[in-house]
Amino acid sequence: MSGSLIVVGLGPGTAQWITPAAQAALDAATDIVGYGPYVDRVPERVGLTKHASDNRVEVERAAHALQLAADGRRVVVVSGGDPGVFAMAAAVFEALEAGPREWLNIPITVEPGITAMLAAAARAGAPLGGDFCAISLSDNLKPWEIVTTRLRAVLAADLVICLYNPISKARPWQLGKALELAAEQRSSETPVLFARAVGRPDESLRILTLAEAVTAASTADMATLVMIGASSTRLIAREGRPPYVYTPRSVAKMPCATSQGRT
Amino acid sequence: MSGSLIVVGLGPGTAQWITPAAQAALDAATDIVGYGPYVDRVPERVGLTKHASDNRVEVERAAHALQLAADGRRVVVVSGGDPGVFAMAAAVFEALEAGPREWLNIPITVEPGITAMLAAAARAGAPLGGDFCAISLSDNLKPWEIVTTRLRAVLAADLVICLYNPISKARPWQLGKALELAAEQRSSETPVLFARAVGRPDESLRILTLAEAVTAASTADMATLVMIGASSTRLIAREGRPPYVYTPRSVAKMPCATSQGRT
């Protein structure tokens, strides 16, 4: 029997956002490997072995999955969101690159999923209507100076900015610092989304100004996707309901430094 | 009867990447509105009216959809990929903002989808393993100088760069120019993906070096997603099959200017 490995994106939470291709991979698996909360999303069934691991052991987890596949199992590695976006796909290829040559014979497939920024954007309206970027705020895997260098570049380029891994117990101040950097270059009225647990029962969507977001940074958590609008991002007010947030597709010119900025 | 409007992402092409939530919206619609090729993907059925329109009339199309919803229809606006990424969601909110106040009472929902860069990344391995951006190369909606300003910024910041709308009959030279800009700042060996029609029967994935991509720019088309690797993006060779492309999650430091760059 020849094994295989599929890296599957479960989407942000609800089964309604799991693609049929991802579901088919889950249904055919003999082994599910992943971070505990994602493995928990896959129902138990006869013939399925679940291997849950702690957070922050991604490459060890990936190597374990590759070895199971090399041993002939049909292995699915699960990620939340999309596996290619700050998730398990890169860890699998890191483990593959460092591992025994025979692993190169394992058929490896990546099944895309709905990543958090797409889900958050959909809930808010169309904040990703223009050019945008996705940056992980975690400085576990890169120096903080690289994070700030990148933030300054994309702020100057007026991209909408999606911040993954914005905050954790071990990284309590980075999000506040990132939002302060944004406030140096963008208007204090710029819309900022704190989209938490989108697609799950405890979903919440907060639409703040950049000035409010700086103050509220510590109220975000690891389940929050933070999105900082571009200079053209704006609100459409509605009676009795939160406004829509959207970024027009057209750009007339680059913004000038704001009155808040570069003083 | 009270109408509604749902903006749905059909994903890149295969039904295996349409989420159950998107499918449910399609199944409940009375009217499908969109660009012809996307409307064609939705099967005919009794009770469903399809309204196909030409390309580049997005806001008129969106206004038509909003009026149908205001008239009490259950309208679905279809986009390829994700509707929030260079697609119909922003056009709907532009039309809403410019339209009659009564349209604000229409329940509007956006259903996310698998956008082209996630599908292309999945096919290649894990090229989006680090920070990345999505930029539309079309200068129909923004001046070309903004495109190049943004490209220079994200090149300097060492992000992986996903180029949407890379080329068309009316915009034949922009992709070549963008790749030349990239070659000024990144190594000529940087992996570049030309991912065409991913998820469709005529799918093709080409893995080039940046130097090759500059030469091959005119072989891309509107169905191609172009992805330019970061300095750390690399290949894992396999016998008899194309290499995997991946970007490690870790970044040690910002790259220096290459021997090709900034001369």
Side-chain angles (χ1 to χ4, degrees), chain A residues 15-22 24 58-59 82-87 89-91 93-94 96-97 101 104-115 117-119 121-137 140-143 145-147 149-150 153-154 156-159 164 230 234-239 241 244-255, chain B residues 15-22 24 58-59 82-87 89-91 93-94 96-97 101 104-115 117-119 121-137 140-143 145-147 149-150 153-154 156-159 164 230 234-239 241 244-255:
Chain A
Q16 288 298 301
W17 284 341
I18 299 178
T19 68
E58 290 89 353
V59 176
D82 178 272
V85 177
F86 308 121
F93 290 101
E94 286 173 46
L96 180 70
E97 191 178 45
R101 282 196 60 81
L104 289 172
N105 298 320
I106 300 167
I108 301 177
T109 310
V110 180
E111 272 302 335
I114 303 294
T115 184
M117 67 181 166
L118 300 186
R123 285 291 199 253
L128 299 180
D131 299 328
F132 64 92
C133 64
I135 290 180
S136 170
L137 266 198
N140 293 328
L141 294 168
K142 63 191 173 212
E145 308 83 69
I146 288 188
V147 178
T149 300
R150 290 179 172 178
V154 295
D158 200 24
L159 303 190
Y164 281 73
R234 56 190 191 244
L235 307 182
I236 301 176
R238 290 187 291 173
E239 258 182 54
R241 279 176 299 173
Y244 296 115
V245 185
Y246 94 103
T247 305
R249 300 163 307 144
S250 298
V251 181
K253 57 182 183 61
M254 292 293 282
Chain B
Q16 287 299 301
W17 284 341
I18 299 179
T19 68
E58 291 89 352
V59 176
D82 179 273
V85 176
F86 309 119
F93 290 102
E94 286 173 45
L96 180 71
E97 191 178 47
R101 282 196 60 79
L104 289 172
N105 298 319
I106 299 167
I108 301 176
T109 310
V110 179
E111 273 303 335
I114 303 295
T115 184
M117 66 183 166
L118 301 186
R123 284 290 199 255
L128 300 179
D131 299 329
F132 64 93
C133 64
I135 291 181
S136 170
L137 266 198
N140 293 328
L141 294 167
K142 63 191 174 212
E145 307 81 69
I146 288 188
V147 178
T149 300
R150 289 178 174 179
V154 295
D158 201 24
L159 303 190
Y164 282 73
R234 57 189 190 243
L235 308 182
I236 301 176
R238 290 187 291 174
E239 257 181 55
R241 280 176 300 173
Y244 297 115
V245 186
Y246 94 103
T247 305
R249 301 162 307 144
S250 298
V251 181
K253 58 182 182 60
M254 292 292 283

Side-chain angles (χ1 to χ4, degrees), chain A residues 127-128 131-133 135 150-163 178-192 209-211 214 227-233 247 254-263, chain B residues 150 153-154:
Chain A
L128 299 180
D131 299 328
F132 64 92
C133 64
I135 290 180
R150 290 179 172 178
L151 283 173
R152 285 197 177 92
V154 295
L155 285 163
D158 200 24
L159 303 190
V160 176
I161 300 170
C162 301
L163 299 177
L179 291 165
E180 283 169 19
L181 279 176
E184 289 174 14
Q185 292 197 46
R186 294 198 182 164
S187 158
S188 59
E189 296 300 310
T190 304
V192 174
T209 65
L210 179 50
V214 169
M227 197 182 299
I228 305 170
S231 63
S232 62
T233 304
T247 305
M254 292 293 282
C256 305
T258 68
S259 59
Q260 287 79 20
R262 299 176 183 163
T263 51
Chain B
R150 289 178 174 179
V154 295

